[in-house]
Amino acid sequence: MQLPSFTLPPDCLRGRNILVTGSTSGLGRALALACAKAGATVILSGRNLAKLERVYDAIEQVGAPQPAIAPLDLATAAAPDYDHLAQVIGTEFGVLDGLVHSAALLGDRAPLEQYDVPTWCKVLHVNLTAPLILTQVLLPHLRKSASASVLFVSSAVAQNPRPFWGAYAVSKAGLESVRSMLYQELASVSTVRINSVNPGRLRTPMRAAAYPGEDPNTLPSAESVTDAFIYLLSDEARALSGQNVDLAHA
Ligand SMILES: NC(=O)c1ccc[n+]([C@@H]2O[C@H](COP(=O)([O-])OP(=O)(O)OC[C@H]3O[C@@H](n4cnc5c(N)ncnc54)[C@H](OP(=O)(O)O)[C@@H]3O)[C@@H](O)[C@H]2O)c1
């Protein structure tokens, strides 16, 4: 679906606690900064502490609410790591109002016939299984919010698989199934909203890896799509759940 036209009230995320995975780079980093500027307390999740600290400093520099750092390597995290994160969020924040799954791996661009199986397993784990586990352990905190919003970051190849996109395309198609099932399972028993967003092509390190010959200056910046994510995380979109939002053709 396309989003209706919207206007974001100033500070529309004030008082909300929002966890962003992949907040060290590209879209996730832009979202972390934009959510903080909109008043949210952002829980920065990523696998590289030094990069997390740089995003933390950037948020502090603009005078936005003090963020928190939640290191988690989605490729290697085990059950106790997820449980620990959920416990810390419960203790420190009590409530979680938003969860954005932006972290992902591109994997190989290769024919399925030759696709490296260990890479396949890693991409499916980081892009599909880990977001499900994280959602599972954080749902008790999301349910405590008056209007929590979960956003899975999708891709055009989720709906239209193209040759050589391998595990990445399969992982994004799987995320769409997770989004749809979770929405249907939760709709009648909770107010937690579940949506996915295809951000369209963006000038990020992942895009550069996928299209090394492309001139990055021809691509929209990650910052160009953050308003749509903020809208979906805010109360302004409280009626919107179970959707796949397509920003590529907005
Ligand atoms: N860029 C596009 O054109 C485009 C188009 C459609 C969809 N998307 C989607 O947009 C989202 C953001 O992608 P992007 O373009 O911003 O890519 P990016 O700049 O490469 O960012 C990917 C993020 O995922 C993190 N990550 C990777 N492996 C991880 C792991 N094992 N544990 C924790 N974090 C891990 C990276 O951490 P490090 O900083 O440590 O590497 C980085 O923060 C992805 O879901 C992608 O599929 C992007």
Side-chain angles (χ1 to χ4, degrees):
M1 70 163 293
Q2 314 281 311
L3 285 182
S5 64
F6 61 86
T7 310
L8 291 178
D11 280 354
C12 65
L13 297 181
R14 181 151 301 283
R16 294 171 80 84
N17 304 320
I18 296 176
L19 188 144
V20 182
T21 73
S23 61
T24 49
S25 178
L27 176 62
R29 186 182 190 283
L31 287 174
L33 274 155
C35 288
K37 286 181 190 164
T41 298
V42 182
I43 304 163
L44 303 165
S45 183
R47 61 181 168 177
N48 181 314
L49 188 57
K51 286 170 95 173
L52 286 167
E53 284 171 349
R54 286 201 287 276
V55 185
Y56 182 104
D57 291 345
I59 289 174
E60 287 234 301
Q61 269 164 26
V62 295
Q66 186 181 31
I69 286 182
L72 190 70
D73 186 330
L74 299 173
T76 57
D81 303 311
Y82 288 96
D83 291 342
H84 176 70
L85 175 64
Q87 188 219 316
V88 169
I89 289 176
T91 309
E92 298 292 321
F93 301 97
V95 177
L96 190 64
D97 304 285
L99 172 58
V100 185
H101 295 286
S102 189
L105 283 177
L106 177 64
D108 293 341
R109 299 287 314 280
L112 290 174
E113 193 174 2
Q114 280 119 36
Y115 202 96
D116 178 65
V117 172
T119 303
W120 178 276
C121 294
K122 185 173 180 183
V123 171
L124 281 175
H125 188 79
V126 169
N127 295 10
L128 176 59
T129 308
L132 173 65
I133 303 170
L134 199 52
T135 307
Q136 284 178 330
V137 299
L138 295 179
L139 261 173
H141 304 318
L142 290 159
R143 283 174 184 266
K144 288 187 204 146
S145 168
S147 68
S149 172
V150 177
L151 298 177
F152 295 100
V153 179
S154 191
S155 161
V157 292
Q159 318 278 356
N160 299 303
R162 293 199 296 270
F164 316 123
W165 279 86
Y168 179 85
V170 172
S171 72
K172 295 296 184 181
L175 270 188
E176 289 301 327
S177 289
V178 168
R179 184 261 309 160
S180 175
M181 284 188 280
L182 200 52
Y183 161 68
Q184 294 173 67
E185 290 166 6
L186 292 177
S188 59
V189 294
S190 114
T191 57
V192 180
R193 292 181 285 119
I194 311 286
N195 293 293
S196 63
V197 185
N198 169 22
R201 31 186 227 135
L202 298 175
R203 190 169 63 238
T204 69
M206 183 184 288
R207 177 79 191 185
Y211 294 93
E214 186 177 60
D215 177 359
N217 295 317
T218 61
L219 299 170
S221 67
E223 288 73 17
S224 69
V225 294
T226 54
D227 275 2
F229 282 83
I230 288 176
Y231 169 75
L232 287 162
L233 287 164
S234 76
D235 263 353
E236 302 296 303
R238 61 187 160 275
L240 212 152
S241 190
Q243 302 296 320
N244 168 237
V245 175
D246 187 5
L247 302 180
H249 303 101

